[in-house]
């Protein structure tokens, strides 16, 4: 099958996915009980060295309301970028809504599912109660997964800083909206007319050696409440790509 037919078929699936997804992918209604703690940082934001590979994006995304999560939620990296509503359950000390956090790292404390940035942890507390909550160190919480929202942003492919033009390309997806996981990434190999799988290096980072020298078309597999679908980002990365630059996919997952 030629690239045009391949891409037409995949685009049709993507269009169907985009139409159906809002109706099928609804936020989880029930909360799951767990525990949370926090980590320190000079500015109370996230860390640029998290296990998801986001770099500076992982420090500042969502205003710094971010979290490292346990292995079960990290999902070997496919849980990176997921959003959760987290609220603590200490009477008279915790807010009703808690805080919305984005997963940017992997880490486990004392039987915790979440290690929050200090900024996020403080937002669990009622006004003037943050110091008391911090004094606990670890608190009982409940959480649920919710759709991520990035108004004004499409999904973007950032070329990881470790990439080396032209022989090694690593990409990380940022501004991943909706409530789904990216579980596979492939690029179109024009010379042999087929999709070539990228390796899941770690976290949200996917890489490949000897990428095509032309403009790169990517397709990625998403898994969520709507099932598993492929989406195609045509000409997603220019032929003369540069490490550290993020390229707009012109797509969004929700």
């Amino acid at each position: 099958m030629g690239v045009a037919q391949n891409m037409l078929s995949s685009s049709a699936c993507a269009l169907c996915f985009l139409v159906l997804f809002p109706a099928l992918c609804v936020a989880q209604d029930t909360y799951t009980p767990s525990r949370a703690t926090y980590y320190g940082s000079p500015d109370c934001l996230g860390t640029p060295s998290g296990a998801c590979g986001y770099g500076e994006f992982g420090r500042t995304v969502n205003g710094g309301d971010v979290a490292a999560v346990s292995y079960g939620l990290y999902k070997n990296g496919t849980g990176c970028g997921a959003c959760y509503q987290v609220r603590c359950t200490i009477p008279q000390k915790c807010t009703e809504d808690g805080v919305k956090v984005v997963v940017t790292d992997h880490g486990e404390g004392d039987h915790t599912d979440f290690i929050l940035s200090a900024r996020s942890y403080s937002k669990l507390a009622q006004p003037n109660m943050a110091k008391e909550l911090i004094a606990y160190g670890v608190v009982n919480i409940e959480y649920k997964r919710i759709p991520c929202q990035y108004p004004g942003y499409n999904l973007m492919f950032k070329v990881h800083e470790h990439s080396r033009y032209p022989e090694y390309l690593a990409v990380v997806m940022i501004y991943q909206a909706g409530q789904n996981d990216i579980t596979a990434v492939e690029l179109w190999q024009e010379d042999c007319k087929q999709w070539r799988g990228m390796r899941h290096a770690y976290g949200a980072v996917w890489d490949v050696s000897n990428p095509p020298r032309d403009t790169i078309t990517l397709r990625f597999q998403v898994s969520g409440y709507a099932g598993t679908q492929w989406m195609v980002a045509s000409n997603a990365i220019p032929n003369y790509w540069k490490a550290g630059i993020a390229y707009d996919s012109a797509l969004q997952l929700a």
Side-chain angles (χ1 to χ4, degrees):
M1 180 181 290
V3 62
Q5 291 174 292
N6 250 314
M7 293 176 62
L8 180 61
S9 175
S10 298
S11 297
C13 285
L15 179 60
C16 179
F17 173 70
L18 287 169
V19 170
L20 293 177
F21 191 85
L24 295 175
C25 183
V26 295
Q28 174 187 333
D29 290 328
T30 58
Y31 281 87
T32 300
S34 184
R35 285 154 59 85
T37 184
Y38 66 95
Y39 63 87
S41 62
D43 52 13
C44 297
L45 301 179
T47 172
S49 57
C52 288
Y54 287 135
E56 185 65 16
F57 178 81
R59 189 180 74 85
T60 59
V61 63
N62 195 38
D65 288 331
V66 298
V69 293
S70 63
Y71 186 78
L73 297 178
Y74 181 67
K75 303 177 187 176
N76 199 32
T78 60
C80 290
C83 292
Y84 290 90
Q85 195 79 33
V86 180
R87 62 189 188 189
C88 64
T89 56
I90 304 174
Q92 285 81 52
K93 296 187 185 297
C94 302
T95 63
E96 181 178 350
D97 294 331
V99 62
K100 183 187 84 171
V101 295
V102 179
V103 174
T104 60
D105 201 356
H106 165 246
E108 300 188 40
D110 181 13
H111 301 287
T112 62
D113 277 314
F114 289 85
I115 304 178
L116 305 173
S117 66
R119 174 188 176 92
S120 305
Y121 191 86
S122 296
K123 287 186 176 180
L124 297 175
Q126 292 278 8
N128 303 316
M129 292 286 183
K131 288 184 178 179
E132 291 190 40
L133 215 61
I134 288 174
Y136 279 92
V138 179
V139 293
N140 291 328
I141 61 156
E142 52 188 15
Y143 69 90
K144 67 178 180 180
R145 187 164 181 182
I146 60 174
C148 296
Q149 297 178 336
Y150 298 106
Y153 288 94
N154 293 318
L155 178 71
M156 301 186 77
F157 300 112
K158 180 186 175 183
V159 178
H160 196 277
E161 286 80 0
H162 291 165
S163 298
R164 301 183 305 276
Y165 183 85
E167 66 267 15
Y168 171 73
L169 172 65
V171 297
V172 56
M173 283 68 161
I174 60 175
Y175 297 114
Q176 178 183 331
Q179 188 176 337
N180 41 71
D181 302 325
I182 294 176
T183 54
V185 182
E186 298 179 344
L187 52 77
W188 179 252
Q189 196 81 37
E190 177 63 27
D191 53 356
C192 42
K193 306 295 184 187
Q194 66 181 16
W195 292 101
R196 176 185 172 193
M198 297 184 72
R199 180 179 70 111
H200 187 192
Y202 69 94
V205 181
W206 300 80
D207 66 1
V208 65
S209 297
N210 301 313
R213 298 296 182 94
D214 298 322
T215 302
I216 297 173
T217 289
L218 295 175
R219 73 173 183 178
F220 49 98
Q221 187 180 63
V222 291
S223 178
Y225 283 100
T228 299
Q229 303 283 346
W230 284 95
M231 297 183 70
V232 175
S234 299
N235 303 320
I237 299 175
N239 51 348
Y240 295 109
W241 46 264
K242 294 182 178 179
I245 302 298
Y247 299 99
D248 195 329
S249 73
L251 298 173
Q252 193 46 273
L253 304 189

